[in-house]
Amino acid sequence: MSARIQIPAEAKRGEIIEVRILIQHVMETGYRFDDRGTPIARNVITSILCNYNGREVMRADTSSGIAANPYLQFCMLAEASGELVLSWVDDEGVRGTERASLSVSG
Amino acid sequence: MKALLLLAAGMLVAAPAWTQNRVIPQAGLKSGFEFLSPDLKKMQLDDFANPGTLWVDRGEKLWRAEAGAAKKSCADCHGDARASMKGVAARYPQVDRHSGDLMTLEARILQSRVERQKAVPFARESEDLLALSAYVAYQSRGMAMEADIEGAARKHFDAGEAMFFRRRGQLNLNCAHCHDANWGRTLYAERISQGQPNAYPAYRLEWQTLGSLERRLRACLSGVRAEILPFGSPEYADLALYLSWRAKGLPIETPGVRR
């Protein structure tokens, strides 16, 4: 499993920047059956969180109905240089994280 | 005069196969990309948002990972894929010089995996095989398809061409009924494209994952309710060779995005 974050490498203080996220995940809906008719257990990401210098800037509570390999995009205010930490957890309890650094001037 | 005529007749017989009749002239070739909605076009062109690039990344890691009893990585023998694999996918399927078998890119990767790395083969359509074939094909992105159909490849091409025009399944349709005669028209909710192979492995929304050209062909076979051949069947390679010739000049898009 892997994920990506895209942010500009540098920004000016007070600038609004765009954050893009892509997480590789099957997002098994729980509504499907295998070839033998046995239900396939649901396994979706249930929570996606983004912290910026320790403060929560985005949270999404996701469920069935979100496509595989979810893509998210949001904006945030660049305040100080630091790190953006993305983390998520799925129905099986598997957790993942990915980081990106931002350098803020001015 | 007589000699000239004979010469002319000889030239006709020996004419290279690419001069043979094309139902869709080369100038009229359209990639499946052109039949996508604006949203999907954008997704394919955006390397960040195109989910297929996740497999390309994974393939890059596998390329450098040691495997098998030979304890060798792909890179140990082939070096930097950006140079050594550039243009390779554009000329597949290709006949293996030693066995005479027609090999798709996937089959060639499996051959290196088993014979050179001495490792257990990847399952067809497994994440690892898809990742490596996407990574190798990605090195040819933008390059024109140019499979060779002469010499030893000829009989495979002929078999593939015959398959393309053979009716099959409960619906009794052949590939040309949809992809030569009716492209641009609508079938249920889908616009039929020319059935070109240049985007594969491709990320298909219906699959919610990356899949090979074979997987796409199986979907078409199932669509006409025909028998679905097992993965790796030589018939798929023959058909893929015909499709590559038919697509000659279209740029490779791997990893494409499809509905």
Side-chain angles (χ1 to χ4, degrees):
Chain A
M1 219 175 3
S2 68
R4 296 179 182 155
I5 310 178
Q6 190 182 62
I7 49 171
E10 294 163 21
K12 291 210 168 61
R13 191 181 310 278
E15 193 182 328
I16 292 171
I17 61 163
E18 188 179 74
V19 183
R20 306 170 82 199
I21 294 167
L22 184 71
I23 307 174
Q24 188 166 26
H25 196 280
V26 291
M27 298 298 280
E28 187 58 59
T29 61
Y31 300 131
R32 300 199 310 154
F33 299 86
D34 68 13
D35 292 343
R36 296 195 170 146
T38 319
I40 304 173
R42 187 181 105 151
N43 181 23
V44 299
I45 295 177
T46 50
S47 169
I48 303 174
L49 204 75
C50 244
N51 278 327
Y52 170 43
N53 286 341
R55 197 159 63 81
E56 181 178 308
V57 288
M58 193 280 304
R59 183 221 300 264
D61 295 329
T62 46
S63 59
S64 294
I66 307 278
N69 309 310
Y71 170 89
L72 279 85
Q73 190 178 319
F74 64 92
C75 290
M76 63 169 231
L77 201 62
E79 288 164 337
S81 295
E83 205 177 32
L84 198 68
V85 182
L86 162 73
S87 57
W88 68 94
V89 61
D90 70 13
D91 281 322
E92 291 178 355
V94 175
R95 290 170 185 280
T97 34
E98 185 66 39
R99 293 155 195 277
S101 356
L102 177 67
S103 151
V104 175
S105 60
Chain B
M1 186 63 195
K2 205 171 181 186
L4 206 70
L5 274 177
L6 275 177
L7 195 72
M11 277 170 65
L12 273 180
V13 172
W18 45 262
T19 62
Q20 84 184 63
N21 274 344
R22 289 174 168 279
V23 180
I24 305 173
Q26 256 184 298
L29 291 180
K30 283 190 197 310
S31 162
F33 179 81
E34 299 192 34
F35 299 83
L36 297 176
S37 67
D39 277 1
L40 287 191
K41 281 187 179 157
K42 229 171 103 187
M43 191 194 260
Q44 174 170 318
L45 293 177
D46 180 346
D47 275 348
F48 185 88
N50 178 341
T53 57
L54 292 165
W55 278 260
V56 174
D57 287 355
R58 179 181 177 135
E60 187 179 6
K61 290 196 190 92
L62 287 170
W63 182 262
R64 285 185 267 105
E66 197 175 87
K71 293 201 182 328
K72 281 204 153 69
S73 70
C74 317
D76 285 337
C77 292
H78 294 291
D80 188 343
R82 286 173 299 181
S84 66
M85 291 293 136
K86 191 167 185 197
V88 169
R91 46 184 172 77
Y92 271 74
Q94 197 180 58
V95 172
D96 180 64
R97 265 177 297 159
H98 313 288
S99 68
D101 293 344
L102 183 68
M103 313 205 85
T104 59
L105 189 61
E106 285 91 344
R108 182 66 97 190
I109 290 171
L110 283 173
Q111 182 189 45
S112 261
R113 167 104 181 149
V114 174
E115 291 175 17
R116 316 274 174 190
Q117 289 185 309
K118 314 273 180 225
V120 283
F122 298 120
R124 290 279 177 168
E125 234 37 40
S126 61
E127 294 287 288
D128 286 350
L129 182 55
L130 285 169
L132 275 170
S133 47
Y135 178 62
V136 170
Y138 179 76
Q139 311 307 326
S140 303
R141 191 154 75 156
M143 295 176 74
M145 301 202 70
E146 46 158 1
D148 180 12
I149 62 165
E150 296 306 330
R154 189 66 209 197
K155 67 171 198 276
H156 296 287
F157 173 81
D158 291 341
E161 181 178 45
M163 250 186 107
F164 193 84
F165 293 102
R166 190 182 306 131
R167 287 175 180 266
R168 67 183 71 235
Q170 286 180 330
L171 300 190
N172 201 29
L173 293 172
N174 67 31
C175 314
H177 283 131
C178 285
H179 295 301
D180 279 346
N182 282 300
W183 62 265
R185 295 226 174 95
T186 307
L187 179 72
Y188 301 112
E190 266 193 295
R191 261 182 91 206
I192 304 176
S193 75
Q194 295 179 349
Q196 305 292 1
N198 56 316
Y200 290 81
Y203 190 89
R204 205 176 155 210
L205 297 194
E206 186 180 315
W207 297 332
Q208 294 277 292
T209 187
L210 196 80
S212 66
L213 177 62
E214 281 192 36
R215 185 167 179 193
R216 174 64 248 189
L217 296 180
R218 287 157 65 96
C220 286
L221 292 176
S222 140
V224 297
R225 300 192 204 137
E227 185 193 344
I228 295 173
L229 306 163
F231 277 111
S233 300
E235 286 88 346
Y236 287 128
D238 293 347
L239 194 51
L241 180 61
Y242 176 73
L243 292 177
S244 294
W245 167 81
R246 191 172 164 269
K248 191 184 171 80
L250 279 183
I252 292 196
E253 291 173 11
T254 312
V257 172
R258 293 294 182 265
R259 231 176 72 119

